[in-house]
Amino acid sequence: MRKRIITPIPHNVPHPDKGWLDLGRLAVVEVTSEDKDYPVESALAAEKVRGWRAADSGTQTIRLIFDEPQRLARITLVFEETETERSQEFVLRWSADGGHSFREIVRQQWNFSPPETIREVEEYQVDLSGVTVLELVIVPDISRGSARASLRSLRLS
């Protein structure tokens, strides 16, 4: 019989769902519009809340401007649409120079088809240093319909 002794995992190793950045403390958020009942901070908070929704239809931008440059290792986005069938596109990009130039992380399209397909969850493992701005641009309906953009959550670590 072959046998190996393995090192146990210490109890103080953070849980994979812990370690998210406190965006309320580390960044200013800019947003093109928001429904008063679904403010952008709802999508950025660590607690389970209802998320953000735009007040207007059309392309929307959520921009995080960090007080100090950040190192990012993981980005998680959750989108939900329970009412309208639509095809959405989003672009996630970052800047190391205060927003003068950007590098694209991902450009993604998704088809919502309630009640079957209502949730899009995206998780990206990244290795970004010196991030001063993170920007999410959402085209809620690529056919240019009247849908409003929404975001259930955005988490960074």
Side-chain angles (χ1 to χ4, degrees):
M1 161 121 348
R2 293 179 290 169
K3 177 170 85 172
R4 292 184 196 161
I5 304 296
I6 61 171
T7 306
I9 298 172
H11 293 291
N12 61 353
V13 170
H15 187 274
D17 288 340
K18 304 250 189 243
W20 298 116
L21 296 179
D22 181 353
L23 298 175
R25 189 177 56 81
L26 298 173
V28 172
V29 63
E30 295 178 343
V31 62
T32 48
S33 79
E34 68 181 7
D35 182 314
K36 66 179 177 55
D37 294 328
Y38 297 88
V40 71
E41 56 270 22
S42 293
L44 305 176
E47 308 85 40
K48 301 283 187 215
V49 290
R50 59 170 71 177
W52 165 84
R53 183 183 305 159
D56 305 315
S57 62
T59 301
Q60 302 292 321
T61 301
I62 298 172
R63 185 177 299 125
L64 295 171
I65 303 168
F66 295 102
D67 298 331
E68 300 291 329
Q70 298 294 311
R71 179 177 183 87
L72 300 180
R74 184 169 67 155
I75 301 170
T76 301
L77 298 162
V78 179
F79 298 95
E80 278 188 357
E81 174 58 69
T82 60
E83 300 171 10
T84 306
E85 187 170 319
R86 61 186 173 91
S87 295
Q88 167 180 288
E89 179 177 272
F90 74 85
V91 177
L92 185 62
R93 56 193 203 149
W94 70 284
S95 174
D97 61 8
H100 296 290
S101 63
F102 283 89
R103 293 184 189 175
E104 197 168 289
I105 300 167
V106 64
R107 179 179 300 265
Q108 175 83 30
Q109 289 186 355
W110 181 265
N111 296 317
F112 291 103
S113 185
E116 292 82 23
T117 308
I118 62 169
R119 178 176 261 211
E120 175 186 11
V121 178
E122 300 292 342
E123 183 163 317
Y124 304 102
Q125 303 296 323
V126 295
D127 185 13
L128 305 176
S129 295
V131 178
T132 58
V133 179
L134 185 72
E135 187 173 84
L136 175 64
V137 179
I138 305 168
V139 179
D141 189 345
I142 59 176
S143 68
R144 304 295 180 213
S146 62
R148 292 186 296 165
S150 62
L151 176 67
R152 180 71 178 196
S153 71
L154 167 62
R155 304 284 185 268
L156 306 173
S157 68

